[in-house]
């Protein structure tokens, strides 16, 4: 049974993750380190975390419903691709040995942290790229043809998200900035919904295939926290300091990385 202070820590992590996921993504880099530090097995931590963050995805998507409605056609094209990717990623997580995740997860975690650190430069470059490619008028965004490369990249990110979830939002925003003619807020709305789709399909797979890996108390705490955080992120998250958020995300990610590498070391 998780002690009260642990429950409070998981809840606050979920609250924070829900807020961050709606604003910039990378919420898993808050909750995952907390769960690993509390002694939850890494694969079980990913499973419980992904299920809990579904609630935050719904509240974040509701907060961006107007922007999402303006790119409805684009969403309808990309949702099946994310769904397929999330399905494959979750199946890989559940069917590959835990030892594989133990080796792959630190690598993915490092990649996610690098993306978070360089996110401002990626965003700046993507914005410049969009300006060079043509209009990003909100009225024109949903009329533009979705390039094949975007389908492929969204699928790959879906596989990644279904397997590990961390920083898939940052990846999506970087890709949208280059290959999608949409405003920042429209791209963010698509990002929130596609991330929700990946987490949702993964959660369903976990529920039916590996219910023994689910820590229901953790799922509930993260769900309630992320649900509230999703509303906060959609309403006031834009006022939060991105630099401060990234700093804390990186610190927590490094703690998780150190913990995982320590467990990989052979016993003396």
């Amino acid at each position: 049974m998780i002690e009260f202070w642990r429950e409070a820590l998981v809840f606050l992590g979920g609250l924070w993750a829900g807020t961050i996921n709606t604003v910039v993504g990378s919420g898993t880099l808050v909750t995952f380190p907390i769960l690993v530090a509390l002694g939850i097995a890494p694969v079980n931590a990913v499973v419980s975390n992904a299920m809990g963050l579904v609630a935050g995805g719904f509240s974040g998507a509701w907060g961006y419903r107007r922007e999402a409605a303006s790119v409805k056609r684009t969403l309808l094209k990309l949702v099946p691709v994310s769904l397929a990717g999330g399905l494959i990623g979750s199946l890989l997580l559940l069917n590959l040995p835990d030892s594989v995740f133990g080796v792959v997860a630190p690598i993915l975690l490092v990649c996610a942290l690098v993306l978070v650190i360089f996110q401002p430069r990626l965003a700046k470059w993507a914005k410049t790229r969009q300006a060079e490619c043509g209009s990003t008028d909100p009225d024109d965004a949903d009329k533009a043809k979705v390039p094949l490369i975007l389908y492929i990249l969204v699928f790959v990110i879906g596989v990644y998200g279904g397997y590990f979830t961390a920083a898939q939002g940052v990846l999506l925003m970087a890709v949208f900035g280059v290959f999608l003619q949409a405003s920042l807020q429209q791209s963010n709305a698509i990002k929130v919904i596609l991330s929700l789709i990946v987490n949702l399909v993964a959660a369903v797979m976990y529920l039916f295939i590996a219910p023994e890996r689910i820590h229901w108390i953790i799922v509930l705490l993260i769900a309630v926290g992320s649900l509230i955080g999703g509303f906060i992120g959609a309403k006031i998250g834009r006022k939060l300091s991105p630099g401060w958020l990234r700093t804390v995300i990186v610190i927590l990610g490094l703690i998780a990385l150190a913990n995982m590498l320590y467990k990989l070391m052979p016993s003396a």
Side-chain angles (χ1 to χ4, degrees):
M1 187 71 178
I2 299 179
E3 299 173 13
F4 174 76
W5 69 269
R6 292 185 162 208
E7 293 176 345
L9 185 60
V10 173
F11 171 79
L12 291 175
L15 176 67
W16 197 352
T19 303
I20 291 175
N21 273 342
T22 306
V23 180
V24 295
S26 307
T28 293
L29 292 181
V30 174
T31 46
F32 181 73
I34 291 174
L35 298 182
V36 172
L38 292 177
I40 306 299
V43 173
N44 293 3
V46 171
V47 169
S48 301
N49 176 67
M51 294 192 70
L53 289 180
V54 168
F58 275 113
S59 58
W62 176 257
Y64 275 99
R65 62 191 182 280
R66 293 180 181 177
E67 291 86 352
S70 68
V71 284
K72 182 171 62 175
R73 293 179 183 176
T74 303
L75 266 171
L76 289 175
K77 294 175 182 177
L78 294 178
V79 162
V81 182
S82 277
L83 192 153
L87 177 63
I88 293 174
S90 60
L91 287 173
L92 288 173
L93 177 69
L94 295 176
N95 288 284
L96 291 175
D98 286 9
S99 58
V100 173
F101 183 83
V103 175
V104 173
I107 298 173
L108 295 178
L109 190 53
V110 169
C111 293
L113 290 174
V114 170
L115 283 170
V116 171
I117 292 171
F118 288 99
Q119 190 269 339
R121 294 187 181 182
L122 287 172
K124 184 178 180 181
W125 176 72
K127 187 176 181 179
T128 302
R129 173 69 175 164
Q130 277 186 330
E132 292 174 351
C133 290
S135 171
T136 56
D137 188 324
D139 294 331
D140 298 332
D142 211 29
K143 300 176 183 178
K145 181 179 179 181
V146 176
L148 177 61
I149 185 64
L150 184 57
Y151 286 109
I152 295 172
L153 291 174
V154 168
F155 171 76
V156 172
I157 293 171
V159 174
Y160 166 86
Y163 187 78
F164 189 51
T165 73
Q168 62 175 315
V170 175
L171 283 168
L172 286 171
M173 289 300 286
V175 167
F176 292 159
V178 180
F179 298 107
L180 188 65
Q181 294 184 25
S183 70
L184 178 62
Q185 296 308 323
Q186 287 173 325
S187 294
N188 208 27
I190 297 174
K191 178 260 298 183
V192 169
I193 292 174
L194 294 187
S195 296
L196 167 62
I197 292 297
V198 171
N199 284 346
L200 184 59
V201 69
V204 172
M205 296 304 296
Y206 303 152
L207 183 61
F208 284 100
I209 296 179
E212 71 281 359
R213 289 188 177 274
I214 303 171
H215 294 256
W216 285 108
I217 294 178
I218 289 174
V219 171
L220 178 62
L221 292 170
I222 292 179
V224 175
S226 67
L227 181 66
I228 298 171
F231 285 118
I232 294 174
K235 290 183 177 296
I236 66 172
R238 299 178 184 89
K239 300 178 182 179
L240 300 176
S241 169
W244 182 78
L245 288 173
R246 278 191 298 275
T247 298
V248 179
I249 288 171
V250 170
I251 291 173
L252 289 171
L254 289 174
I255 292 173
L257 180 62
N259 193 311
M260 294 175 72
L261 291 177
Y262 175 77
K263 290 182 178 180
L264 285 174
M265 294 176 61
S267 301

